[in-house]
Amino acid sequence: MKIYGIINNNYEGKHINVQCSSHPGFPSFEISGLADSIVKESKERVRESIRASGFRFPQESVLISLLPSGIHKTGSALDLPIALAVLFSKSNTHLSILAHGEIDLNGNILPSPGTENAILNAGRLSCHAVVLYGKEDNVVKNQNYPFYTIEATTLESAANALINIINEGNFESLSSNNTNPSSALLSNPFKGIIGLNNEKEILTAAIAGGHNALFFGQRGIGKTMLIGRTERLIGITDKQTTQELSKIRACFNLYPDNKGKVMYLNDKDSLVKKGNELPEILLSHSAAVVADEITNMNENTLSIIRDIQDKGTFTVLKRGSFPLRFSFIAAMNPCPCGALGSKRTPCKCAASRIQAHLKNITSTLLSRFSAVYEVQEADYTHDDDSFLSDAVDRINNAVKRMNKRYCDFPNVHKNADIMREGTNREVLEKAFMFFPESENPRDALILYSFALTLADLDDSPIQPIHTEKARLYRVKDIMSYYAR
C-alpha cells in the first residue's frame, strides 16, 4: 500500500510519501527524513492511539521513512498517515491513499488545516482514497475525482473503512479513468474564455511546438486572461528533457519534477541571480515564460530572453551553463491609452507617443515570434468557451509526433528547435517550398515550423490550411498594421 501525507509548507501543500519498515528485532520506533520535533513526537501519540483503538502495535523494529528526505517536515498532520503506515506495513495491496490529520492518545482524529490541499494532491497522485477528519464516520465517492473520500472520527473507523475497500477489491477501476490527472483537473483549459478561437489555437500551438507568441490589441478584451491559461497547457515532455529538468532541480536541492513551471515575468524580476541563488527562469525549462504588457519591460530583460532562446542555454554565475528552452508568451496594448484599433473608443494618442510606446518592440524582437496576432473583441452573443477544450490532449499527441520525428536529432525536441539546431539544407528547402515569399531563411523557418506544429495538432501532414494560418497569425510590423 502506498500512503501519502501533506505538509502545508506552501500554497498548494507538498505531498510526502510515508513508508514503514517492520521486521523482527529489538522493539523500537524511529522516524527518519528530516522531521522536526513535532513530527518526531508523533511516535508516542501514534503508539498509544493504535493501542487505544484496539490494534496491536508491532513488537518489532519499526522505521518510518518520510520521502523526499531533503524536504523539512513539520506539523502534526502526518500523525494519521504514520499510524496507517504502521497498521498496514505488512499489506501487499496496490491501494494508494492520502491521509491527513492529527490523532490523540485515545485514537480520535483531530481536524488539521490543509484539507483542500489534501484532496487536490490526492487527485494529482491518482489515489484510490483520501482519509480525512469528519464529524461523523462517512465514506463517499468524491464528486470531482474518481476516488473514495473517507471522513473518519477515529483511527479505528478509518482503518476499518480501508479494510472494507481492500476486501471489495474494485479500487483498481477507480484510477482507470484518471490516467492523466491534469486532464481530469483541467478538462477545458479555456473554460470561461468566450470566443477568441484563433487566439486559443495560437497559444495551443505555441506551447505544443515551443514557439513564441505575441498578442496585441485594445485593452480589456481578454489578452491577459488568455495568456494566464498558459500554465494549464503544459503537457508531457520527452525522456531527455525530463532528465534535464531533474538535473537542474537537483543542482539547487529541489524536489524532482518532470514538468517545467511557467514563469510570469515582470520588470521587477531578476533573471540573473548572484551566488548560489536559483534563477526562477531555469524552472521554466520545457515550459513557458509569460510577460504581460511587454512594452513596459526593460530592454535589457528582453535582450536576455532573446539571447537565451537563440543559444538554448543559460549561464548561472559559479554554476555553469544549463539547458533552457521555453515558449515566450507575451501581450501588449498597441498604444499608451490602449484604445488603438477599438471600434468603440477612438485612440487619442499622437503618433510620436505610439512610437515611443513601441520602442522596445523592434523588428529584431518581432522576428523571434512565430505568431504576432491582434486580439479582437469576441461575439458574446454567439461564441462559447468550448473551442479547443481538448487542447491538453492535442498538445500531448503533437509532442509524441515530434518525439518520433526528431528521435535521431538529440538537440531537437520540438518544432521550434529547428531554428537553432535542426537547420539543414533539406529543412530549409522545405521551408522555402511552403513559403517562397519569405525574405530570409529565418522568416521561412519560423513560418514552416509553426505550420508544422499546427499540422501536428491536427494529427496530419502540412496542408494548405496550415500554411495559410501560419501567414495569417504573423503580423510583421504592428505600426504598419494599424496604418492600413
Side-chain angles (χ1 to χ4, degrees), residues 442-460:
R442 175 189 290 275
D443 192 49
L445 286 169
I446 282 183
L447 289 169
Y448 170 69
S449 62
F450 197 71
L452 191 57
T453 300
L454 292 172
D456 287 335
L457 289 172
D458 290 339
D459 198 16
S460 76

PDB file of all heavy atoms in Angstrom, residues 442-460:
ATOM      1  N   ARG A 442      15.489  32.714 -41.880  1.00  0.00           N
ATOM      2  CA  ARG A 442      14.839  32.741 -40.567  1.00  0.00           C
ATOM      3  C   ARG A 442      13.335  32.876 -40.718  1.00  0.00           C
ATOM      4  O   ARG A 442      12.559  32.170 -40.057  1.00  0.00           O
ATOM      5  CB  ARG A 442      15.386  33.897 -39.721  1.00  0.00           C
ATOM      6  CG  ARG A 442      14.651  34.037 -38.372  1.00  0.00           C
ATOM      7  CD  ARG A 442      15.057  35.320 -37.659  1.00  0.00           C
ATOM      8  NE  ARG A 442      16.416  35.250 -37.193  1.00  0.00           N
ATOM      9  CZ  ARG A 442      16.783  34.701 -36.035  1.00  0.00           C
ATOM     10  NH1 ARG A 442      15.871  34.166 -35.244  1.00  0.00           N
ATOM     11  NH2 ARG A 442      18.040  34.684 -35.676  1.00  0.00           N
ATOM     12  N   ASP A 443      12.907  33.796 -41.575  1.00  0.00           N
ATOM     13  CA  ASP A 443      11.485  34.027 -41.784  1.00  0.00           C
ATOM     14  C   ASP A 443      10.803  32.761 -42.298  1.00  0.00           C
ATOM     15  O   ASP A 443       9.723  32.372 -41.828  1.00  0.00           O
ATOM     16  CB  ASP A 443      11.305  35.182 -42.775  1.00  0.00           C
ATOM     17  CG  ASP A 443       9.868  35.671 -42.832  1.00  0.00           C
ATOM     18  OD1 ASP A 443       9.286  35.911 -41.764  1.00  0.00           O
ATOM     19  OD2 ASP A 443       9.330  35.805 -43.946  1.00  0.00           O
ATOM     20  N   ALA A 444      11.455  32.092 -43.252  1.00  0.00           N
ATOM     21  CA  ALA A 444      10.876  30.872 -43.824  1.00  0.00           C
ATOM     22  C   ALA A 444      10.794  29.748 -42.784  1.00  0.00           C
ATOM     23  O   ALA A 444       9.782  29.041 -42.699  1.00  0.00           O
ATOM     24  CB  ALA A 444      11.706  30.418 -45.023  1.00  0.00           C
ATOM     25  N   LEU A 445      11.842  29.599 -41.985  1.00  0.00           N
ATOM     26  CA  LEU A 445      11.867  28.531 -40.990  1.00  0.00           C
ATOM     27  C   LEU A 445      10.842  28.764 -39.881  1.00  0.00           C
ATOM     28  O   LEU A 445      10.226  27.812 -39.386  1.00  0.00           O
ATOM     29  CB  LEU A 445      13.267  28.408 -40.389  1.00  0.00           C
ATOM     30  CG  LEU A 445      14.323  27.775 -41.302  1.00  0.00           C
ATOM     31  CD1 LEU A 445      15.713  27.954 -40.703  1.00  0.00           C
ATOM     32  CD2 LEU A 445      14.033  26.289 -41.514  1.00  0.00           C
ATOM     33  N   ILE A 446      10.653  30.025 -39.469  1.00  0.00           N
ATOM     34  CA  ILE A 446       9.665  30.323 -38.432  1.00  0.00           C
ATOM     35  C   ILE A 446       8.263  29.975 -38.917  1.00  0.00           C
ATOM     36  O   ILE A 446       7.477  29.332 -38.213  1.00  0.00           O
ATOM     37  CB  ILE A 446       9.751  31.802 -38.003  1.00  0.00           C
ATOM     38  CG1 ILE A 446      10.943  32.010 -37.063  1.00  0.00           C
ATOM     39  CG2 ILE A 446       8.467  32.251 -37.324  1.00  0.00           C
ATOM     40  CD1 ILE A 446      11.075  33.404 -36.518  1.00  0.00           C
ATOM     41  N   LEU A 447       7.936  30.388 -40.128  1.00  0.00           N
ATOM     42  CA  LEU A 447       6.620  30.088 -40.681  1.00  0.00           C
ATOM     43  C   LEU A 447       6.433  28.581 -40.874  1.00  0.00           C
ATOM     44  O   LEU A 447       5.379  28.023 -40.557  1.00  0.00           O
ATOM     45  CB  LEU A 447       6.422  30.825 -42.003  1.00  0.00           C
ATOM     46  CG  LEU A 447       6.244  32.341 -41.919  1.00  0.00           C
ATOM     47  CD1 LEU A 447       6.328  32.969 -43.303  1.00  0.00           C
ATOM     48  CD2 LEU A 447       4.915  32.697 -41.266  1.00  0.00           C
ATOM     49  N   TYR A 448       7.465  27.914 -41.384  1.00  0.00           N
ATOM     50  CA  TYR A 448       7.384  26.477 -41.649  1.00  0.00           C
ATOM     51  C   TYR A 448       7.218  25.692 -40.356  1.00  0.00           C
ATOM     52  O   TYR A 448       6.373  24.781 -40.256  1.00  0.00           O
ATOM     53  CB  TYR A 448       8.630  26.018 -42.395  1.00  0.00           C
ATOM     54  CG  TYR A 448       8.764  24.519 -42.499  1.00  0.00           C
ATOM     55  CD1 TYR A 448       7.888  23.762 -43.288  1.00  0.00           C
ATOM     56  CD2 TYR A 448       9.767  23.846 -41.810  1.00  0.00           C
ATOM     57  CE1 TYR A 448       8.012  22.387 -43.373  1.00  0.00           C
ATOM     58  CE2 TYR A 448       9.905  22.472 -41.890  1.00  0.00           C
ATOM     59  CZ  TYR A 448       9.029  21.746 -42.671  1.00  0.00           C
ATOM     60  OH  TYR A 448       9.139  20.382 -42.746  1.00  0.00           O
ATOM     61  N   SER A 449       8.013  26.020 -39.334  1.00  0.00           N
ATOM     62  CA  SER A 449       7.939  25.273 -38.074  1.00  0.00           C
ATOM     63  C   SER A 449       6.585  25.473 -37.398  1.00  0.00           C
ATOM     64  O   SER A 449       6.033  24.534 -36.795  1.00  0.00           O
ATOM     65  CB  SER A 449       9.074  25.692 -37.129  1.00  0.00           C
ATOM     66  OG  SER A 449       8.970  27.063 -36.781  1.00  0.00           O
ATOM     67  N   PHE A 450       6.022  26.683 -37.496  1.00  0.00           N
ATOM     68  CA  PHE A 450       4.719  26.930 -36.875  1.00  0.00           C
ATOM     69  C   PHE A 450       3.610  26.200 -37.630  1.00  0.00           C
ATOM     70  O   PHE A 450       2.697  25.626 -37.019  1.00  0.00           O
ATOM     71  CB  PHE A 450       4.424  28.431 -36.824  1.00  0.00           C
ATOM     72  CG  PHE A 450       3.325  28.796 -35.864  1.00  0.00           C
ATOM     73  CD1 PHE A 450       3.524  28.716 -34.502  1.00  0.00           C
ATOM     74  CD2 PHE A 450       2.087  29.229 -36.318  1.00  0.00           C
ATOM     75  CE1 PHE A 450       2.509  29.046 -33.602  1.00  0.00           C
ATOM     76  CE2 PHE A 450       1.070  29.560 -35.434  1.00  0.00           C
ATOM     77  CZ  PHE A 450       1.287  29.473 -34.069  1.00  0.00           C
ATOM     78  N   ALA A 451       3.683  26.203 -38.967  1.00  0.00           N
ATOM     79  CA  ALA A 451       2.706  25.450 -39.767  1.00  0.00           C
ATOM     80  C   ALA A 451       2.811  23.954 -39.461  1.00  0.00           C
ATOM     81  O   ALA A 451       1.797  23.246 -39.409  1.00  0.00           O
ATOM     82  CB  ALA A 451       2.940  25.710 -41.249  1.00  0.00           C
ATOM     83  N   LEU A 452       4.027  23.478 -39.233  1.00  0.00           N
ATOM     84  CA  LEU A 452       4.235  22.076 -38.906  1.00  0.00           C
ATOM     85  C   LEU A 452       3.579  21.725 -37.571  1.00  0.00           C
ATOM     86  O   LEU A 452       2.978  20.654 -37.421  1.00  0.00           O
ATOM     87  CB  LEU A 452       5.738  21.778 -38.857  1.00  0.00           C
ATOM     88  CG  LEU A 452       6.178  20.312 -38.788  1.00  0.00           C
ATOM     89  CD1 LEU A 452       5.628  19.522 -39.969  1.00  0.00           C
ATOM     90  CD2 LEU A 452       7.700  20.231 -38.750  1.00  0.00           C
ATOM     91  N   THR A 453       3.658  22.641 -36.606  1.00  0.00           N
ATOM     92  CA  THR A 453       3.004  22.403 -35.320  1.00  0.00           C
ATOM     93  C   THR A 453       1.492  22.412 -35.455  1.00  0.00           C
ATOM     94  O   THR A 453       0.798  21.594 -34.837  1.00  0.00           O
ATOM     95  CB  THR A 453       3.447  23.461 -34.295  1.00  0.00           C
ATOM     96  OG1 THR A 453       4.863  23.397 -34.111  1.00  0.00           O
ATOM     97  CG2 THR A 453       2.763  23.239 -32.956  1.00  0.00           C
ATOM     98  N   LEU A 454       0.952  23.336 -36.246  1.00  0.00           N
ATOM     99  CA  LEU A 454      -0.494  23.347 -36.487  1.00  0.00           C
ATOM    100  C   LEU A 454      -0.948  22.026 -37.097  1.00  0.00           C
ATOM    101  O   LEU A 454      -2.017  21.496 -36.752  1.00  0.00           O
ATOM    102  CB  LEU A 454      -0.864  24.515 -37.403  1.00  0.00           C
ATOM    103  CG  LEU A 454      -0.695  25.928 -36.826  1.00  0.00           C
ATOM    104  CD1 LEU A 454      -0.903  26.976 -37.913  1.00  0.00           C
ATOM    105  CD2 LEU A 454      -1.668  26.163 -35.672  1.00  0.00           C
ATOM    106  N   ALA A 455      -0.129  21.481 -37.993  1.00  0.00           N
ATOM    107  CA  ALA A 455      -0.448  20.185 -38.599  1.00  0.00           C
ATOM    108  C   ALA A 455      -0.356  19.060 -37.573  1.00  0.00           C
ATOM    109  O   ALA A 455      -1.185  18.149 -37.549  1.00  0.00           O
ATOM    110  CB  ALA A 455       0.490  19.912 -39.767  1.00  0.00           C
ATOM    111  N   ASP A 456       0.649  19.127 -36.685  1.00  0.00           N
ATOM    112  CA  ASP A 456       0.794  18.108 -35.645  1.00  0.00           C
ATOM    113  C   ASP A 456      -0.411  18.105 -34.710  1.00  0.00           C
ATOM    114  O   ASP A 456      -0.850  17.047 -34.244  1.00  0.00           O
ATOM    115  CB  ASP A 456       2.075  18.330 -34.845  1.00  0.00           C
ATOM    116  CG  ASP A 456       3.323  17.951 -35.627  1.00  0.00           C
ATOM    117  OD1 ASP A 456       3.213  17.107 -36.534  1.00  0.00           O
ATOM    118  OD2 ASP A 456       4.403  18.493 -35.317  1.00  0.00           O
ATOM    119  N   LEU A 457      -0.938  19.288 -34.404  1.00  0.00           N
ATOM    120  CA  LEU A 457      -2.125  19.366 -33.550  1.00  0.00           C
ATOM    121  C   LEU A 457      -3.333  18.717 -34.211  1.00  0.00           C
ATOM    122  O   LEU A 457      -4.222  18.205 -33.520  1.00  0.00           O
ATOM    123  CB  LEU A 457      -2.433  20.828 -33.202  1.00  0.00           C
ATOM    124  CG  LEU A 457      -1.467  21.516 -32.234  1.00  0.00           C
ATOM    125  CD1 LEU A 457      -1.773  22.998 -32.139  1.00  0.00           C
ATOM    126  CD2 LEU A 457      -1.542  20.886 -30.842  1.00  0.00           C
ATOM    127  N   ASP A 458      -3.370  18.769 -35.550  1.00  0.00           N
ATOM    128  CA  ASP A 458      -4.451  18.116 -36.295  1.00  0.00           C
ATOM    129  C   ASP A 458      -4.124  16.669 -36.640  1.00  0.00           C
ATOM    130  O   ASP A 458      -4.907  16.000 -37.336  1.00  0.00           O
ATOM    131  CB  ASP A 458      -4.738  18.889 -37.585  1.00  0.00           C
ATOM    132  CG  ASP A 458      -5.397  20.242 -37.307  1.00  0.00           C
ATOM    133  OD1 ASP A 458      -5.975  20.392 -36.214  1.00  0.00           O
ATOM    134  OD2 ASP A 458      -5.344  21.123 -38.187  1.00  0.00           O
ATOM    135  N   ASP A 459      -2.940  16.208 -36.214  1.00  0.00           N
ATOM    136  CA  ASP A 459      -2.500  14.836 -36.483  1.00  0.00           C
ATOM    137  C   ASP A 459      -2.498  14.544 -37.987  1.00  0.00           C
ATOM    138  O   ASP A 459      -3.015  13.529 -38.452  1.00  0.00           O
ATOM    139  CB  ASP A 459      -3.399  13.837 -35.760  1.00  0.00           C
ATOM    140  CG  ASP A 459      -2.751  12.460 -35.637  1.00  0.00           C
ATOM    141  OD1 ASP A 459      -1.522  12.361 -35.831  1.00  0.00           O
ATOM    142  OD2 ASP A 459      -3.479  11.481 -35.377  1.00  0.00           O
ATOM    143  N   SER A 460      -1.875  15.458 -38.736  1.00  0.00           N
ATOM    144  CA  SER A 460      -1.855  15.323 -40.202  1.00  0.00           C
ATOM    145  C   SER A 460      -0.588  15.953 -40.753  1.00  0.00           C
ATOM    146  O   SER A 460       0.097  16.714 -40.057  1.00  0.00           O
ATOM    147  CB  SER A 460      -3.081  16.007 -40.803  1.00  0.00           C
ATOM    148  OG  SER A 460      -2.937  17.423 -40.809  1.00  0.00           O
TER     149      SER A 460
END
